[in-house]
Amino acid sequence: MEQGLFEITQRKENLRYLVVLKDERGEAILTSQYREVKPMCLNEIDWIRRCGPEDSFYERIDVEGAWSYVLHARDAHILGTGPKFVTEEERERGIEAVKRYAPDAPLYDSTPAIDLSTRIPETLRQHARETVELAEAEKACFRHTSA
């Protein structure tokens, strides 16, 4: 049985996230827009699973002899775009592949584990340090008055 694969990956220097739906040969058949955080990708995959099988969510594109498609969500935001094809028939086969693979494709996350402490702005770190210092001062004051 043929099976596709959803892959969450990171690209570009700012390491934004991207969802790629691949066919059984590992070829990308749908690529999402860049997302800032991984949970947004998981949400996109859910949308792709729901909208992918329905033909009405596909916008067929023909620009200067290159055929492609865009998959839209129910609220019309773009879920992903297909690759460029040489013929209209190839584009239709690409759409049919997305319809076939999207509902059941397993997920592979190729992104590294994230140390969120590096993404916390210095302002929040300073606030946390001050809060800890204040709590320790209050504890010391409490110990002093209860002794």
Side-chain angles (χ1 to χ4, degrees):
M1 181 174 140
E2 297 177 341
Q3 187 175 33
L5 177 73
F6 280 108
E7 180 179 7
I8 298 177
T9 185
Q10 288 180 298
R11 297 193 185 152
K12 306 250 183 186
E13 65 263 2
N14 60 359
L15 298 177
R16 292 188 300 170
Y17 296 91
L18 192 66
V19 173
V20 180
L21 177 59
K22 297 179 178 182
D23 65 12
E24 75 279 355
R25 298 181 316 261
E27 300 288 326
I29 57 175
L30 189 72
T31 303
S32 76
Q33 296 180 327
Y34 287 103
R35 300 295 177 213
E36 295 299 320
V37 292
K38 194 182 299 189
M40 294 175 78
C41 291
L42 299 173
N43 188 46
E44 291 295 289
I45 291 170
D46 187 49
W47 276 100
I48 293 167
R49 289 187 192 283
R50 292 171 191 242
C51 298
E54 297 183 40
D55 195 66
S56 62
F57 293 113
Y58 290 89
E59 176 185 358
R60 287 155 170 86
I61 299 173
D62 176 9
V63 179
E64 299 175 8
W67 284 267
S68 189
Y69 51 86
V70 175
L71 176 61
H72 293 275
R74 285 182 166 78
D75 66 359
H77 83 269
I78 295 174
L79 294 172
T81 58
K84 303 284 187 258
F85 296 97
V86 178
T87 67
E88 190 173 356
E89 292 78 23
E90 288 176 343
R91 176 187 65 197
E92 293 305 311
R93 282 196 298 271
I95 291 171
E96 290 305 314
V98 174
K99 289 179 184 180
R100 190 170 56 249
Y101 297 131
D104 302 318
L107 171 63
Y108 173 69
D109 184 354
S110 66
T111 61
I114 300 172
D115 177 9
L116 292 178
S117 66
T118 63
R119 300 190 77 176
I120 299 172
E122 183 56 35
T123 306
L124 292 176
R125 287 187 196 162
Q126 181 61 33
H127 178 72
R129 282 191 288 269
E130 290 171 1
T131 302
V132 168
E133 289 171 5
L134 181 62
E136 288 173 353
E138 287 178 0
K139 275 186 195 176
C141 182
F142 178 76
R143 279 190 296 242
H144 180 70
T145 57
S146 62

